[in-house]
Amino acid sequence: MSEQAEALVATWIEAERTAVPRLSGLQLQALLITYRSPGINLTGMAEQVGAAPPTVSRLCDRLEAAGLLVRHRATTSRREIGLTLTAHGYEMLAALTERRFLAVRRVLQHVPAAQREALLAGLRAFSEATEPVTGGGPDL
């Protein structure tokens, strides 16, 4: 199973390599977290990515400079900073999702239909099983 999972992950990651702008894994993870939790604060982001708040602040500096993310004062506290994707950030994630879809589709065209259906059923079950562990299945 390890080889099969690696093949799927490699296909998925290959689509990321063509992303413009080119993002690190941590940057992409931060964008996806912001997509799923608009307005998340720096502390929440730090907890989700497993990094210290100063590291996340610098990460957000780079994403903001790239025009993918904006910081704003949270409505609940004037001292709290919320994070939201820009239109460019949404567009970049949508383009990445499309590239991932096409990359996986190219591979699946070589898989017999019955096996594609079985794979899809298995991936759905896997995704559902991750929800209690991660707090929600992947949206993108």
Side-chain angles (χ1 to χ4, degrees), residues 69-104:
L69 183 89
V70 292
R71 297 175 199 218
H72 52 84
R73 295 255 181 242
T75 57
T76 56
S77 167
R78 291 179 42 193
R79 291 197 288 168
E80 192 172 299
I81 302 296
L83 306 169
T84 307
L85 293 180
T86 62
H88 182 54
Y90 280 107
E91 291 167 5
M92 196 279 312
L93 285 179
L96 175 59
T97 299
E98 180 68 15
R99 280 193 298 281
R100 285 174 167 173
F101 170 79
L102 293 173
V104 171

Short mmCIF file of all heavy atoms in Angstrom, two decimals, residues 69-104:
data_model
loop_
_atom_site.label_atom_id
_atom_site.label_comp_id
_atom_site.label_asym_id
_atom_site.label_seq_id
_atom_site.Cartn_x
_atom_site.Cartn_y
_atom_site.Cartn_z
N LEU A 69 -2.86 36.87 0.61
CA LEU A 69 -3.47 36.88 1.93
C LEU A 69 -3.50 38.32 2.44
O LEU A 69 -2.62 39.11 2.10
CB LEU A 69 -2.58 36.03 2.85
CG LEU A 69 -2.98 35.79 4.27
CD1 LEU A 69 -3.87 34.54 4.33
CD2 LEU A 69 -1.75 35.52 5.11
N VAL A 70 -4.51 38.64 3.22
CA VAL A 70 -4.55 39.95 3.88
C VAL A 70 -4.78 39.74 5.37
O VAL A 70 -5.45 38.80 5.79
CB VAL A 70 -5.64 40.89 3.31
CG1 VAL A 70 -5.31 41.31 1.91
CG2 VAL A 70 -7.00 40.27 3.38
N ARG A 71 -4.22 40.65 6.14
CA ARG A 71 -4.44 40.68 7.58
C ARG A 71 -5.43 41.80 7.86
O ARG A 71 -5.42 42.82 7.18
CB ARG A 71 -3.15 40.99 8.33
CG ARG A 71 -2.09 39.97 8.16
CD ARG A 71 -0.84 40.46 8.84
NE ARG A 71 0.30 39.73 8.34
CZ ARG A 71 1.31 39.35 9.09
NH1 ARG A 71 1.35 39.67 10.36
NH2 ARG A 71 2.30 38.68 8.56
N HIS A 72 -6.27 41.59 8.84
CA HIS A 72 -7.23 42.62 9.22
C HIS A 72 -7.51 42.49 10.71
O HIS A 72 -7.30 41.43 11.30
CB HIS A 72 -8.53 42.49 8.41
CG HIS A 72 -9.11 41.11 8.46
ND1 HIS A 72 -9.90 40.67 9.49
CD2 HIS A 72 -8.98 40.06 7.61
CE1 HIS A 72 -10.24 39.41 9.26
NE2 HIS A 72 -9.70 39.02 8.14
N ARG A 73 -7.96 43.57 11.28
CA ARG A 73 -8.34 43.55 12.70
C ARG A 73 -9.59 42.68 12.83
O ARG A 73 -10.54 42.83 12.07
CB ARG A 73 -8.64 44.95 13.21
CG ARG A 73 -7.44 45.84 13.20
CD ARG A 73 -6.93 46.03 14.61
NE ARG A 73 -5.77 46.92 14.58
CZ ARG A 73 -4.58 46.54 14.98
NH1 ARG A 73 -4.38 45.32 15.42
NH2 ARG A 73 -3.58 47.37 14.94
N ALA A 74 -9.56 41.79 13.79
CA ALA A 74 -10.71 40.92 14.03
C ALA A 74 -11.86 41.75 14.60
O ALA A 74 -11.64 42.74 15.29
CB ALA A 74 -10.33 39.81 15.00
N THR A 75 -13.06 41.34 14.30
CA THR A 75 -14.23 42.06 14.79
C THR A 75 -14.44 41.85 16.28
O THR A 75 -15.06 42.67 16.94
CB THR A 75 -15.49 41.62 14.02
OG1 THR A 75 -15.64 40.21 14.16
CG2 THR A 75 -15.41 42.00 12.57
N THR A 76 -13.91 40.75 16.82
CA THR A 76 -14.12 40.43 18.23
C THR A 76 -13.13 41.10 19.16
O THR A 76 -13.41 41.29 20.33
CB THR A 76 -14.05 38.90 18.45
OG1 THR A 76 -12.79 38.43 17.97
CG2 THR A 76 -15.17 38.20 17.72
N SER A 77 -11.95 41.46 18.63
CA SER A 77 -10.92 42.07 19.47
C SER A 77 -10.04 42.97 18.61
O SER A 77 -9.55 42.53 17.57
CB SER A 77 -10.07 40.99 20.13
OG SER A 77 -8.91 41.55 20.70
N ARG A 78 -9.81 44.18 19.07
CA ARG A 78 -8.98 45.11 18.29
C ARG A 78 -7.53 44.67 18.24
O ARG A 78 -6.79 45.07 17.34
CB ARG A 78 -9.09 46.51 18.89
CG ARG A 78 -10.46 47.09 18.69
CD ARG A 78 -10.62 48.45 19.29
NE ARG A 78 -9.45 49.29 19.07
CZ ARG A 78 -9.22 50.42 19.68
NH1 ARG A 78 -10.08 50.86 20.57
NH2 ARG A 78 -8.16 51.12 19.43
N ARG A 79 -7.10 43.85 19.21
CA ARG A 79 -5.71 43.40 19.21
C ARG A 79 -5.51 42.14 18.39
O ARG A 79 -4.38 41.79 18.09
CB ARG A 79 -5.25 43.16 20.65
CG ARG A 79 -5.14 44.47 21.41
CD ARG A 79 -4.33 44.33 22.64
NE ARG A 79 -5.01 43.57 23.68
CZ ARG A 79 -4.43 43.11 24.78
NH1 ARG A 79 -3.16 43.35 24.99
NH2 ARG A 79 -5.12 42.44 25.68
N GLU A 80 -6.56 41.46 18.05
CA GLU A 80 -6.46 40.21 17.32
C GLU A 80 -6.42 40.48 15.82
O GLU A 80 -7.14 41.32 15.30
CB GLU A 80 -7.66 39.33 17.65
CG GLU A 80 -7.53 37.91 17.17
CD GLU A 80 -8.66 37.05 17.71
OE1 GLU A 80 -8.78 36.93 18.94
OE2 GLU A 80 -9.43 36.54 16.88
N ILE A 81 -5.54 39.76 15.12
CA ILE A 81 -5.39 39.91 13.68
C ILE A 81 -5.99 38.68 13.00
O ILE A 81 -5.62 37.54 13.31
CB ILE A 81 -3.90 40.04 13.28
CG1 ILE A 81 -3.26 41.24 13.98
CG2 ILE A 81 -3.74 40.11 11.77
CD1 ILE A 81 -3.85 42.57 13.59
N GLY A 82 -6.92 38.91 12.08
CA GLY A 82 -7.52 37.84 11.30
C GLY A 82 -6.86 37.74 9.94
O GLY A 82 -6.29 38.71 9.44
N LEU A 83 -6.95 36.58 9.35
CA LEU A 83 -6.35 36.32 8.05
C LEU A 83 -7.44 35.92 7.05
O LEU A 83 -8.32 35.12 7.38
CB LEU A 83 -5.32 35.19 8.15
CG LEU A 83 -4.23 35.37 9.20
CD1 LEU A 83 -3.45 34.08 9.39
CD2 LEU A 83 -3.32 36.51 8.81
N THR A 84 -7.36 36.48 5.86
CA THR A 84 -8.32 36.18 4.81
C THR A 84 -7.59 36.11 3.48
O THR A 84 -6.64 36.86 3.25
CB THR A 84 -9.40 37.29 4.73
OG1 THR A 84 -9.96 37.49 6.02
CG2 THR A 84 -10.50 36.93 3.76
N LEU A 85 -8.04 35.23 2.62
CA LEU A 85 -7.46 35.15 1.28
C LEU A 85 -7.89 36.35 0.45
O LEU A 85 -9.00 36.85 0.60
CB LEU A 85 -7.91 33.88 0.56
CG LEU A 85 -7.43 32.55 1.11
CD1 LEU A 85 -7.98 31.41 0.25
CD2 LEU A 85 -5.93 32.48 1.18
N THR A 86 -7.01 36.78 -0.44
CA THR A 86 -7.37 37.80 -1.42
C THR A 86 -8.03 37.09 -2.61
O THR A 86 -8.02 35.85 -2.70
CB THR A 86 -6.12 38.53 -1.92
OG1 THR A 86 -5.27 37.57 -2.58
CG2 THR A 86 -5.37 39.22 -0.79
N ALA A 87 -8.54 37.87 -3.53
CA ALA A 87 -9.10 37.28 -4.76
C ALA A 87 -8.01 36.49 -5.48
O ALA A 87 -8.26 35.39 -5.99
CB ALA A 87 -9.66 38.38 -5.66
N HIS A 88 -6.79 37.02 -5.49
CA HIS A 88 -5.66 36.32 -6.12
C HIS A 88 -5.37 35.00 -5.40
O HIS A 88 -5.06 33.99 -6.03
CB HIS A 88 -4.42 37.23 -6.13
CG HIS A 88 -3.23 36.64 -6.80
ND1 HIS A 88 -3.24 36.14 -8.08
CD2 HIS A 88 -1.96 36.45 -6.34
CE1 HIS A 88 -2.04 35.68 -8.39
NE2 HIS A 88 -1.25 35.85 -7.35
N GLY A 89 -5.50 35.00 -4.07
CA GLY A 89 -5.29 33.77 -3.30
C GLY A 89 -6.32 32.72 -3.65
O GLY A 89 -5.99 31.54 -3.85
N TYR A 90 -7.59 33.13 -3.77
CA TYR A 90 -8.65 32.20 -4.18
C TYR A 90 -8.39 31.67 -5.59
O TYR A 90 -8.54 30.47 -5.86
CB TYR A 90 -10.02 32.88 -4.14
CG TYR A 90 -10.63 32.96 -2.78
CD1 TYR A 90 -10.70 34.18 -2.11
CD2 TYR A 90 -11.15 31.84 -2.15
CE1 TYR A 90 -11.27 34.27 -0.84
CE2 TYR A 90 -11.71 31.91 -0.88
CZ TYR A 90 -11.77 33.13 -0.24
OH TYR A 90 -12.33 33.22 1.01
N GLU A 91 -8.00 32.57 -6.49
CA GLU A 91 -7.73 32.15 -7.88
C GLU A 91 -6.58 31.17 -7.94
O GLU A 91 -6.63 30.18 -8.68
CB GLU A 91 -7.41 33.38 -8.74
CG GLU A 91 -8.59 34.28 -8.98
CD GLU A 91 -8.20 35.63 -9.55
OE1 GLU A 91 -7.01 35.85 -9.87
OE2 GLU A 91 -9.10 36.49 -9.69
N MET A 92 -5.52 31.41 -7.16
CA MET A 92 -4.37 30.52 -7.16
C MET A 92 -4.77 29.14 -6.65
O MET A 92 -4.40 28.12 -7.23
CB MET A 92 -3.26 31.12 -6.29
CG MET A 92 -1.89 30.49 -6.48
SD MET A 92 -1.54 28.93 -5.64
CE MET A 92 -2.06 29.20 -4.00
N LEU A 93 -5.57 29.09 -5.57
CA LEU A 93 -6.01 27.79 -5.05
C LEU A 93 -6.93 27.08 -6.03
O LEU A 93 -6.86 25.86 -6.19
CB LEU A 93 -6.70 27.96 -3.70
CG LEU A 93 -5.79 28.24 -2.51
CD1 LEU A 93 -6.62 28.42 -1.24
CD2 LEU A 93 -4.75 27.14 -2.32
N ALA A 94 -7.80 27.83 -6.70
CA ALA A 94 -8.68 27.22 -7.70
C ALA A 94 -7.87 26.65 -8.86
O ALA A 94 -8.15 25.54 -9.34
CB ALA A 94 -9.69 28.25 -8.21
N ALA A 95 -6.85 27.39 -9.30
CA ALA A 95 -6.00 26.90 -10.38
C ALA A 95 -5.23 25.65 -9.95
O ALA A 95 -5.09 24.70 -10.72
CB ALA A 95 -5.03 28.00 -10.83
N LEU A 96 -4.76 25.64 -8.71
CA LEU A 96 -4.05 24.47 -8.20
C LEU A 96 -4.99 23.26 -8.13
O LEU A 96 -4.62 22.15 -8.52
CB LEU A 96 -3.47 24.76 -6.82
CG LEU A 96 -2.80 23.57 -6.13
CD1 LEU A 96 -1.65 23.01 -6.97
CD2 LEU A 96 -2.33 23.96 -4.74
N THR A 97 -6.20 23.48 -7.67
CA THR A 97 -7.18 22.40 -7.60
C THR A 97 -7.43 21.83 -9.00
O THR A 97 -7.49 20.61 -9.18
CB THR A 97 -8.50 22.92 -6.99
OG1 THR A 97 -8.23 23.37 -5.66
CG2 THR A 97 -9.56 21.85 -6.96
N GLU A 98 -7.54 22.71 -9.98
CA GLU A 98 -7.75 22.26 -11.37
C GLU A 98 -6.56 21.46 -11.87
O GLU A 98 -6.72 20.41 -12.50
CB GLU A 98 -8.02 23.47 -12.28
CG GLU A 98 -8.25 23.11 -13.72
CD GLU A 98 -9.55 22.34 -13.97
OE1 GLU A 98 -10.42 22.31 -13.09
OE2 GLU A 98 -9.67 21.78 -15.07
N ARG A 99 -5.34 21.92 -11.59
CA ARG A 99 -4.14 21.19 -12.02
C ARG A 99 -4.08 19.81 -11.35
O ARG A 99 -3.73 18.82 -11.98
CB ARG A 99 -2.87 21.98 -11.70
CG ARG A 99 -2.59 23.07 -12.70
CD ARG A 99 -1.18 23.64 -12.55
NE ARG A 99 -0.94 24.26 -11.26
CZ ARG A 99 -1.35 25.47 -10.91
NH1 ARG A 99 -2.05 26.20 -11.76
NH2 ARG A 99 -1.08 25.96 -9.73
N ARG A 100 -4.43 19.77 -10.07
CA ARG A 100 -4.44 18.48 -9.37
C ARG A 100 -5.46 17.54 -10.00
O ARG A 100 -5.20 16.36 -10.23
CB ARG A 100 -4.77 18.68 -7.90
CG ARG A 100 -3.64 19.24 -7.08
CD ARG A 100 -4.11 19.54 -5.68
NE ARG A 100 -3.02 19.79 -4.77
CZ ARG A 100 -3.20 20.20 -3.53
NH1 ARG A 100 -4.41 20.43 -3.06
NH2 ARG A 100 -2.16 20.41 -2.74
N PHE A 101 -6.66 18.07 -10.26
CA PHE A 101 -7.71 17.28 -10.88
C PHE A 101 -7.24 16.70 -12.21
O PHE A 101 -7.41 15.51 -12.48
CB PHE A 101 -8.97 18.14 -11.08
CG PHE A 101 -10.02 17.49 -11.91
CD1 PHE A 101 -10.86 16.53 -11.37
CD2 PHE A 101 -10.17 17.82 -13.25
CE1 PHE A 101 -11.83 15.92 -12.15
CE2 PHE A 101 -11.14 17.22 -14.03
CZ PHE A 101 -11.98 16.26 -13.48
N LEU A 102 -6.65 17.54 -13.05
CA LEU A 102 -6.20 17.09 -14.37
C LEU A 102 -5.08 16.06 -14.26
O LEU A 102 -5.04 15.11 -15.04
CB LEU A 102 -5.77 18.29 -15.22
CG LEU A 102 -6.89 19.23 -15.62
CD1 LEU A 102 -6.33 20.48 -16.31
CD2 LEU A 102 -7.92 18.53 -16.50
N ALA A 103 -4.17 16.26 -13.32
CA ALA A 103 -3.06 15.31 -13.15
C ALA A 103 -3.58 13.94 -12.74
O ALA A 103 -3.16 12.92 -13.31
CB ALA A 103 -2.07 15.84 -12.12
N VAL A 104 -4.50 13.91 -11.80
CA VAL A 104 -5.06 12.63 -11.36
C VAL A 104 -5.91 12.02 -12.48
O VAL A 104 -5.86 10.81 -12.73
CB VAL A 104 -5.87 12.80 -10.05
CG1 VAL A 104 -6.63 11.54 -9.70
CG2 VAL A 104 -4.93 13.20 -8.91
#
